[in-house]
Amino acid sequence: MTHLSVCMRWSQTVIAGVLRTGLCLAALGGLGLALVAAPALAQTGTVEGRVTVASTGQPIANAQVTIIGTAIGTRTDQNGQFALLNVPTGSQQLRVAAIGYKLGLLQLNVQTGTITTQTLTLSRSVLRLDEVVVTGTAGEARKRAVGNSISQIDLTNVADPPASMDQLLQGRAAGVQVMQSNAASGAGAQIRLRGAVSVSQSNQPLIYIDGVRVRSEGYRRNRPPVGFTGRSGNVEASPLNDLNPDDIDRIEVIKGSAASTLYGTEAAAGVIQIFTKKGRTGTPRWTFQIDQGFSNVRPFGTDDNPFLNLKPGDNAVFATDPEATLGGGSCADPSPNQDCSWLQNGYRQKYAGSVGGGVGGFTYYVSGGYQDYEGVLPNDSEEKVSTRGNFTFDVFDNVRIDWNTSYSNTRVKNTAQGNNAHGLTLNVYRAERNYLQSSDPRGLRDLLNQEITTDINRLVTGVTVNYTPWPWFSNRYTIGYDLAQQENRNLRPFGFIRARQGILSDEQITYQTLTSDYVGNVNARLTGDLRTTFSFGGQSITTRQVRTTAYGEGFAGPGVPEVSDASLFIARENRLRLVTAGFFFQNVLDYKNRYFFTAGIRFDGNSAFGSNLGLEAYPKASLSYVISDEEFWPTELGEMKLRAALGFAGRAPGAFDAIRTWNAIASAGQPAFRPANVGNPDVGPERTREIELGFDAGFVDGRVSAEFTWYQQRTSDALFNVRQVPSNGFLNSQAANVGVIRNQGIELSVNAEIINQPNWGVDVGTNIYTNQSKVLDLGGAVPFGAGGGWVEEGFPVMAARGDLITNPDAIADPVIETDHIFGPQQPTFVFTPSINIRLPKGVQLSARGEYQGGAWIQDGASFNALSRSVRWPTCNAAYTLIDAGNSDQLTARQRAECIPGNTNSRTFYFKQDFFKIRDVTLSIPMEWAIRQAQSASLTLTAQNYVRWINSDLRMFDPEMVARESLSDQNRSISEHIPPPAIFTASLRIGF
């Protein structure tokens, strides 16, 4: 589709003013660098030391050691040792922060040309209140000062080697919901933070890597632009999985508007910020990792039918009649099993290495990795090469430059599957009723003669300059660039069984995101016990997308075709550019280091806003009270922080919602226009207000920690598609800010040290998350369907709506309640228990599970088969009665589903409650077996091997879904394969 109106139409001069303001603010950092002279490096000394645990004297590794008011800092090594060079002479304050410990501060007197040696001891702190966080704050902030919930995932506490970033996030924090798609190679997961805050816009959270905004929406699905859209692998890759999990140091997650105000117009769905590893001063530290394993599809289907309930390698898996013959042998005979089974154990291998170190004011971390994951379907595979370089330069004692760059190349091959008449899985499921009218494996194998490949090249680079001209004034400027280039090639060659003359589609897509971000912080002491931190800054995010597609069909003969070889071919081009720019102010009052009040506001403009809109304002306010620091607080009650936050964030409208557009078409061989979008000059962002209340607590001498949060989100000005008057000539619906929706629930995280002995111990933990959504107001619009869900006042957002069989078990004709709203399509209750057992000699055994409940899902694959008279496993009992002439003994559900003339897709809604053990991991120290290794471990992991699925969902797995994109709200089971179990042996060595 060609749009004559350009999306970069500014809201008159207002947004241009925003950009100018943001650029001026961003320039402050660079101006300061040019105008302020650095102190002479000659007047410096060296600070060396060791950081240990106060109670045991054990070294603390990876503690952050900095000189306050300067950019000088490093991390401790495995022995807790550190060295700081070029420290300005005179009185200096040393700051030591480590996860799980209270903040350490020490006053030093540094002499010129001498070495100052210090040993610092840190006391354990289960709440980690002095730990520094970045996400959602203006600059670095201690957790004790933050009035909203921030979930942190520390990779040192992750026992299992995650295969992807999706798996790394799954079940790790309350309120973070990760739903897998299916077993296809490269399939990305859907991520939701506290449910859906929008009906029409994306609910994927924003992603930042080392302060650089990167693409969060899924890559475009590999499908031809002509014909049925399902002619593909029907999966969507996630940009998040371009990252190598081995490069991650920690992840911070803010889950709602109360915390994401400073990110403005696009942050209502939350923010995930990923911090990669950095080097530290000292000798180089090398790490090497080798992973070997395989993936395996666990039994699925019905308990009493072998049609789909066999393991890979068994006979007639997934496919044919066990009594069928092939090549002179029976499919029940193991000898021709390769021809009768479509599932396989997918071999997985991964190799990675890194080195980190530093000298003087320069530190580095460089890594590289290669992985080759074979899929469980015949044509499936994923091959990836990645590399990263993180460099830190202490230019002066008050100027630090961080340069972080990563590159990855991913090549994914997929088997044609999903609701695809040219695909393997659909035709296998439907057996003799398929599009080949045969379940003969020889014909089905011909469906594999097609090429569905996706190549993705990804470069993310960013530079951050930290400049502290005076101890009370700090500046941070970040400029970053994310470039992804995707090629989708979809070929059904000449002679293909379902398209004899061949079809080829080739698509080239470029995604670009440019980040420019400045933050300044001014610290001042107003009185003896009252301090203030005033922050200001500006940000600009520019995204571009260019897509060209060439499609051809009808080739003269076999060979390696190009689109131009086809007898009929077409081409398409799409371009999109969006800009969001804004600035903010924030002030934090700190009284006695235990009372904190934060107030701030952000002003935003966006190129997608209507021309009648100006700047949008997003205010915030929060309170934090460390009540356990009060003198009246009983010591035996441990630590306690109370918090409350109120904030606003937005979600921008679609790129062309504000603009009147026409489609360019051909009519009678002449160019012409057809009305497309009527345009709305008043369209603006959805605004989400969130209230958050909670506490963080540590009990029983720090052996038990708990974090509790109650939240309520209210999205006003929700964008709904409003029908237009046909006489105006524009038939498409128009987005308008007319609706109101709400989400509310709780989050609870509890971790307990049950047994703590010198040689062994037991730790347990759990995360609990609830979410109840409701449509409060449609703004006068009638109830409507959108994105596979139903929107109606008084019901859950994007609800499952269909026909309810009210007497399913009665021996009678079905009684149908039409237009019944079953419930939400997103889980309302998520429970993730975990346990870690420490055994003698450093051996550890851990396990982590996840339960998701309260949601409904449509089983489209079963409906599609039953409506076409396929003898389907869920109707086995009915077939016995029908074949015996006893149809009058069928239940109401059997009559509605198992008799093809009665089958109705609207009755195939079921509860999707399930529980899976996400991983069981055994970690064994191996230093004794590898000479000169500073650290070595062998990790054995089984992921997603054990599962429970509620009996209402009789056939498939709720994580086996069709999805147009990762942003889709609906969850519908399609002709895919459930996510496999993954078994991995990982050897990691450090020198």
Side-chain angles (χ1 to χ4, degrees), residues 722-780:
V722 178
R723 295 177 182 175
Q724 300 301 299
V725 179
S727 59
N728 289 336
F730 289 84
L731 303 181
N732 293 343
S733 296
Q734 169 64 49
N737 301 101
V738 296
V740 180
I741 61 177
R742 184 187 68 198
N743 281 287
Q744 65 181 29
I746 65 168
E747 297 166 355
L748 175 64
S749 297
V750 179
N751 293 282
E753 191 178 76
I754 304 300
I755 301 174
N756 187 11
Q757 297 297 323
N759 293 324
W760 68 290
V762 178
D763 301 328
V764 298
T766 185
N767 294 320
I768 295 174
Y769 156 71
T770 69
N771 180 271
Q772 300 293 331
S773 66
K774 190 175 184 179
V775 178
L776 301 181
D777 189 359
L778 292 182

Coordinates of all heavy atoms in Angstrom, one line a residue, residues 722-780:
V722 N -13.4 3.5 15.2 CA -14.8 4.0 15.1 C -15.2 3.9 13.7 O -14.5 4.4 12.8 CB -14.9 5.4 15.7 CG1 -16.3 5.9 15.5 CG2 -14.4 5.5 17.1
R723 N -16.4 3.3 13.4 CA -16.9 3.3 12.0 C -17.2 4.6 11.5 O -17.7 5.5 12.2 CB -18.2 2.4 12.0 CG -17.9 0.9 12.4 CD -19.2 0.1 12.4 NE -19.0 -1.2 12.8 CZ -20.0 -2.1 13.0 NH1 -21.2 -1.7 12.8 NH2 -19.7 -3.3 13.4
Q724 N -17.0 4.8 10.2 CA -17.3 6.1 9.5 C -18.6 6.0 8.7 O -19.1 5.0 8.3 CB -16.1 6.4 8.6 CG -14.7 6.5 9.3 CD -14.7 7.5 10.4 OE1 -14.9 8.7 10.1 NE2 -14.5 7.1 11.6
V725 N -19.1 7.2 8.5 CA -20.3 7.3 7.6 C -19.9 7.0 6.2 O -19.1 7.7 5.6 CB -20.9 8.7 7.7 CG1 -22.2 8.8 6.9 CG2 -21.2 9.0 9.2
P726 N -20.5 6.0 5.6 CA -20.1 5.6 4.2 C -20.2 6.7 3.2 O -19.5 6.8 2.2 CB -21.0 4.4 3.9 CG -21.5 3.9 5.2 CD -21.6 5.1 6.1
S727 N -21.2 7.6 3.4 CA -21.4 8.7 2.4 C -20.2 9.6 2.3 O -20.1 10.4 1.3 CB -22.7 9.5 2.7 OG -22.6 10.0 4.0
N728 N -19.3 9.6 3.3 CA -18.1 10.4 3.3 C -17.1 9.9 2.3 O -16.1 10.6 2.0 CB -17.5 10.6 4.7 CG -18.3 11.4 5.6 OD1 -19.1 12.2 5.1 ND2 -18.2 11.2 6.9
G729 N -17.3 8.7 1.8 CA -16.3 8.1 0.9 C -15.2 7.3 1.5 O -14.4 6.7 0.8
F730 N -15.0 7.3 2.8 CA -14.0 6.6 3.5 C -14.6 5.5 4.3 O -15.3 5.7 5.3 CB -13.2 7.5 4.4 CG -12.3 8.5 3.7 CD1 -12.8 9.7 3.2 CD2 -11.0 8.2 3.4 CE1 -12.1 10.6 2.5 CE2 -10.2 9.1 2.8 CZ -10.7 10.3 2.3
L731 N -14.4 4.3 3.8 CA -15.1 3.1 4.4 C -14.4 2.5 5.6 O -14.9 1.8 6.4 CB -15.3 2.0 3.4 CG -16.1 2.5 2.1 CD1 -16.3 1.3 1.2 CD2 -17.5 3.1 2.5
N732 N -13.1 2.8 5.7 CA -12.3 2.2 6.8 C -12.7 2.9 8.2 O -13.0 4.0 8.2 CB -10.8 2.4 6.6 CG -10.3 1.6 5.4 OD1 -11.0 0.7 5.0 ND2 -9.1 1.9 4.9
S733 N -12.6 2.1 9.2 CA -12.8 2.6 10.6 C -11.6 3.6 10.9 O -10.5 3.4 10.4 CB -12.9 1.5 11.6 OG -14.0 0.7 11.4
Q734 N -11.9 4.5 11.8 CA -10.9 5.5 12.2 C -10.6 5.4 13.7 O -11.5 5.4 14.5 CB -11.5 6.9 11.8 CG -10.6 8.1 12.4 CD -9.2 8.1 11.8 OE1 -9.1 8.1 10.6 NE2 -8.2 8.2 12.7
A735 N -9.3 5.4 14.0 CA -8.9 5.4 15.4 C -9.3 6.7 16.1 O -9.0 7.8 15.5 CB -7.4 5.1 15.5
A736 N -9.8 6.6 17.3 CA -10.2 7.7 18.0 C -10.0 7.4 19.5 O -10.2 6.3 20.0 CB -11.7 8.1 17.8
N737 N -9.7 8.5 20.3 CA -9.4 8.3 21.7 C -10.8 8.4 22.5 O -11.2 9.4 22.9 CB -8.5 9.4 22.2 CG -7.2 9.4 21.5 OD1 -6.9 10.2 20.7 ND2 -6.3 8.5 22.0
V738 N -11.5 7.2 22.6 CA -12.8 7.2 23.2 C -13.0 6.3 24.4 O -14.0 6.4 25.1 CB -13.8 6.9 22.1 CG1 -13.8 8.0 21.0 CG2 -13.6 5.5 21.5
G739 N -12.1 5.4 24.6 CA -12.4 4.3 25.6 C -11.6 4.4 26.9 O -10.7 5.3 27.1
V740 N -12.1 3.6 27.9 CA -11.4 3.5 29.2 C -11.3 2.1 29.6 O -12.3 1.4 29.6 CB -12.2 4.3 30.3 CG1 -11.5 4.2 31.6 CG2 -12.3 5.8 29.9
I741 N -10.1 1.6 29.9 CA -9.9 0.2 30.4 C -9.1 0.2 31.7 O -8.5 1.2 32.0 CB -9.3 -0.7 29.4 CG1 -7.9 -0.1 29.0 CG2 -10.1 -0.7 28.1 CD1 -7.1 -1.0 28.1
R742 N -9.2 -0.9 32.5 CA -8.5 -0.9 33.8 C -7.9 -2.3 34.0 O -8.4 -3.3 33.6 CB -9.5 -0.6 34.9 CG -8.9 -0.6 36.3 CD -10.0 -0.5 37.4 NE -10.8 -1.7 37.5 CZ -12.0 -1.8 38.0 NH1 -12.5 -0.8 38.5 NH2 -12.6 -3.0 38.1
N743 N -6.7 -2.2 34.7 CA -6.1 -3.4 35.1 C -5.7 -3.2 36.6 O -5.3 -2.2 37.0 CB -4.7 -3.7 34.4 CG -4.9 -4.3 33.0 OD1 -5.3 -5.5 32.9 ND2 -4.8 -3.5 32.0
Q744 N -5.9 -4.3 37.4 CA -5.4 -4.2 38.8 C -5.1 -5.6 39.3 O -5.6 -6.6 38.8 CB -6.5 -3.5 39.7 CG -7.8 -4.3 39.9 CD -8.7 -3.6 40.7 OE1 -8.7 -2.3 40.8 NE2 -9.6 -4.3 41.4
G745 N -4.2 -5.6 40.3 CA -3.8 -6.9 40.9 C -2.7 -6.7 41.9 O -2.5 -5.6 42.4
I746 N -2.1 -7.8 42.3 CA -1.1 -7.8 43.2 C 0.2 -8.6 42.7 O 0.0 -9.4 41.8 CB -1.5 -8.4 44.6 CG1 -1.8 -9.9 44.4 CG2 -2.7 -7.7 45.2 CD1 -2.0 -10.7 45.7
E747 N 1.3 -8.3 43.3 CA 2.5 -9.0 43.0 C 3.2 -9.3 44.4 O 3.3 -8.4 45.2 CB 3.5 -8.2 42.2 CG 3.0 -7.9 40.8 CD 3.7 -6.8 40.1 OE1 4.7 -6.2 40.7 OE2 3.4 -6.5 38.9
L748 N 3.6 -10.5 44.6 CA 4.2 -10.9 45.8 C 5.4 -11.8 45.5 O 5.3 -12.8 44.8 CB 3.2 -11.7 46.7 CG 3.8 -12.3 48.0 CD1 4.3 -11.2 48.9 CD2 2.8 -13.2 48.7
S749 N 6.6 -11.5 46.0 CA 7.8 -12.3 45.9 C 8.3 -12.6 47.3 O 8.5 -11.7 48.1 CB 8.9 -11.6 45.1 OG 8.5 -11.3 43.8
V750 N 8.5 -13.9 47.6 CA 9.0 -14.3 48.9 C 10.1 -15.3 48.7 O 10.0 -16.2 47.9 CB 7.9 -15.0 49.7 CG1 8.4 -15.5 51.0 CG2 6.7 -14.1 49.9
N751 N 11.3 -15.0 49.4 CA 12.4 -15.9 49.3 C 12.8 -16.2 50.8 O 12.9 -15.3 51.6 CB 13.6 -15.3 48.6 CG 13.3 -15.1 47.1 OD1 13.3 -16.0 46.3 ND2 12.9 -13.9 46.7
A752 N 13.1 -17.5 51.0 CA 13.4 -17.9 52.4 C 14.6 -18.9 52.4 O 14.7 -19.8 51.5 CB 12.2 -18.6 53.0
E753 N 15.5 -18.7 53.4 CA 16.6 -19.6 53.6 C 16.2 -20.5 54.7 O 16.2 -20.3 55.9 CB 17.8 -18.7 54.1 CG 19.1 -19.4 54.1 CD 20.2 -18.5 54.5 OE1 20.3 -18.2 55.8 OE2 21.0 -18.1 53.7
I754 N 15.7 -21.7 54.3 CA 15.2 -22.7 55.2 C 16.3 -23.4 56.1 O 16.1 -23.5 57.3 CB 14.4 -23.8 54.5 CG1 13.3 -23.1 53.6 CG2 13.8 -24.8 55.4 CD1 12.3 -22.3 54.4
I755 N 17.3 -23.8 55.4 CA 18.4 -24.4 56.1 C 19.7 -23.8 55.6 O 19.9 -23.6 54.4 CB 18.5 -26.0 55.9 CG1 17.2 -26.6 56.3 CG2 19.7 -26.6 56.5 CD1 17.1 -28.1 55.9
N756 N 20.6 -23.4 56.6 CA 21.9 -22.8 56.2 C 23.0 -23.4 57.1 O 23.3 -23.0 58.2 CB 21.8 -21.3 56.4 CG 23.1 -20.6 55.9 OD1 23.9 -21.2 55.2 ND2 23.3 -19.4 56.2
Q757 N 23.5 -24.5 56.6 CA 24.7 -25.2 57.2 C 25.9 -25.0 56.4 O 25.9 -24.6 55.2 CB 24.4 -26.7 57.3 CG 23.1 -27.0 58.2 CD 23.3 -26.6 59.6 OE1 24.4 -26.7 60.2 NE2 22.3 -26.1 60.3
P758 N 27.1 -25.2 57.0 CA 28.3 -24.9 56.2 C 28.4 -25.7 54.9 O 29.0 -25.2 53.9 CB 29.4 -25.3 57.2 CG 28.8 -25.1 58.6 CD 27.4 -25.5 58.4
N759 N 28.0 -26.9 54.9 CA 28.1 -27.8 53.7 C 26.9 -28.0 52.9 O 26.9 -28.6 51.9 CB 28.7 -29.1 54.1 CG 30.1 -29.0 54.7 OD1 30.9 -28.2 54.2 ND2 30.5 -29.8 55.7
W760 N 25.8 -27.6 53.5 CA 24.5 -27.7 52.7 C 23.5 -26.8 53.2 O 23.6 -26.2 54.3 CB 24.1 -29.2 52.8 CG 23.6 -29.6 54.1 CD1 24.3 -29.8 55.3 CD2 22.2 -29.9 54.5 NE1 23.5 -30.2 56.3 CE2 22.2 -30.3 55.8 CE3 21.0 -29.9 53.8 CZ2 21.1 -30.6 56.5 CZ3 19.9 -30.3 54.5 CH2 19.9 -30.6 55.8
G761 N 22.4 -26.6 52.4 CA 21.4 -25.7 52.7 C 20.2 -25.8 51.7 O 20.3 -26.4 50.7
V762 N 19.1 -25.2 52.1 CA 17.9 -25.2 51.3 C 17.3 -23.8 51.2 O 17.0 -23.3 52.3 CB 16.9 -26.2 51.8 CG1 15.6 -26.2 50.9 CG2 17.4 -27.7 51.8
D763 N 17.1 -23.3 50.0 CA 16.5 -22.0 49.8 C 15.2 -22.3 49.0 O 15.3 -23.0 48.0 CB 17.4 -21.0 49.1 CG 18.7 -20.8 49.9 OD1 18.6 -20.8 51.1 OD2 19.7 -20.5 49.2
V764 N 14.1 -21.6 49.3 CA 12.9 -21.7 48.5 C 12.4 -20.3 48.2 O 12.8 -19.3 48.9 CB 11.8 -22.5 49.3 CG1 12.2 -23.9 49.5 CG2 11.4 -21.8 50.6
G765 N 11.7 -20.2 47.2 CA 11.1 -18.9 46.8 C 9.9 -19.0 46.0 O 9.5 -20.1 45.5
T766 N 9.1 -18.0 45.9 CA 7.9 -18.0 45.0 C 7.6 -16.6 44.6 O 7.9 -15.6 45.3 CB 6.7 -18.6 45.8 OG1 5.6 -18.7 44.9 CG2 6.3 -17.7 47.0
N767 N 7.0 -16.5 43.4 CA 6.4 -15.2 42.9 C 5.0 -15.5 42.6 O 4.6 -16.5 42.0 CB 7.1 -14.8 41.6 CG 8.6 -14.4 41.8 OD1 8.9 -13.8 42.8 ND2 9.4 -14.8 40.8
I768 N 4.1 -14.6 43.0 CA 2.7 -14.6 42.8 C 2.2 -13.4 42.1 O 2.6 -12.3 42.6 CB 1.9 -14.9 44.1 CG1 2.2 -16.2 44.7 CG2 0.4 -14.8 43.9 CD1 1.6 -16.5 46.1
Y769 N 1.4 -13.5 41.1 CA 1.0 -12.3 40.3 C -0.5 -12.5 39.9 O -0.9 -13.6 39.5 CB 1.8 -12.2 39.1 CG 1.2 -11.4 37.9 CD1 1.0 -10.1 38.0 CD2 0.8 -12.1 36.7 CE1 0.4 -9.4 36.9 CE2 0.3 -11.4 35.7 CZ 0.1 -10.1 35.8 OH -0.5 -9.4 34.7
T770 N -1.3 -11.5 40.2 CA -2.7 -11.5 39.7 C -3.0 -10.3 38.9 O -2.3 -9.3 39.0 CB -3.7 -11.6 40.9 OG1 -3.6 -10.3 41.6 CG2 -3.3 -12.7 41.9
N771 N -4.0 -10.5 38.0 CA -4.4 -9.3 37.2 C -5.8 -9.5 36.8 O -6.2 -10.6 36.3 CB -3.5 -9.3 35.9 CG -3.9 -8.1 35.0 OD1 -4.8 -8.3 34.1 ND2 -3.3 -7.0 35.2
Q772 N -6.6 -8.5 37.0 CA -8.0 -8.5 36.7 C -8.2 -7.2 35.8 O -8.0 -6.1 36.2 CB -8.9 -8.4 37.9 CG -8.8 -9.5 38.9 CD -9.3 -10.9 38.3 OE1 -10.2 -10.9 37.4 NE2 -8.7 -12.0 38.7
S773 N -8.7 -7.5 34.5 CA -8.9 -6.4 33.6 C -10.3 -6.2 33.4 O -11.2 -7.1 33.5 CB -8.2 -6.7 32.3 OG -8.8 -7.8 31.6
K774 N -10.7 -4.9 33.0 CA -12.1 -4.6 32.7 C -12.2 -3.4 31.8 O -11.5 -2.5 31.9 CB -12.8 -4.3 34.1 CG -14.3 -4.2 34.0 CD -14.9 -4.0 35.4 CE -16.4 -3.9 35.4 NZ -17.0 -3.7 36.7
V775 N -13.2 -3.5 30.9 CA -13.5 -2.4 30.0 C -14.5 -1.5 30.7 O -15.6 -2.0 31.0 CB -14.1 -2.9 28.6 CG1 -14.4 -1.7 27.7 CG2 -13.1 -3.8 27.9
L776 N -14.1 -0.3 31.0 CA -15.0 0.6 31.8 C -15.9 1.4 30.9 O -17.1 1.7 31.3 CB -14.2 1.5 32.7 CG -13.3 0.8 33.7 CD1 -12.5 1.8 34.5 CD2 -14.1 -0.1 34.6
D777 N -15.5 1.8 29.7 CA -16.2 2.7 28.9 C -15.8 2.6 27.4 O -14.6 2.5 27.1 CB -16.0 4.2 29.4 CG -16.9 5.2 28.7 OD1 -17.8 4.8 27.9 OD2 -16.8 6.4 29.0
L778 N -16.8 2.5 26.5 CA -16.5 2.4 25.1 C -16.7 3.8 24.4 O -16.6 3.8 23.2 CB -17.4 1.4 24.4 CG -17.2 -0.1 24.8 CD1 -18.1 -1.0 24.0 CD2 -15.8 -0.5 24.5
G779 N -17.0 4.8 25.2 CA -17.2 6.1 24.6 C -18.3 6.2 23.6 O -18.2 6.9 22.6
G780 N -19.3 5.4 23.8 CA -20.5 5.4 23.0 C -20.5 4.5 21.8 O -21.5 4.3 21.1

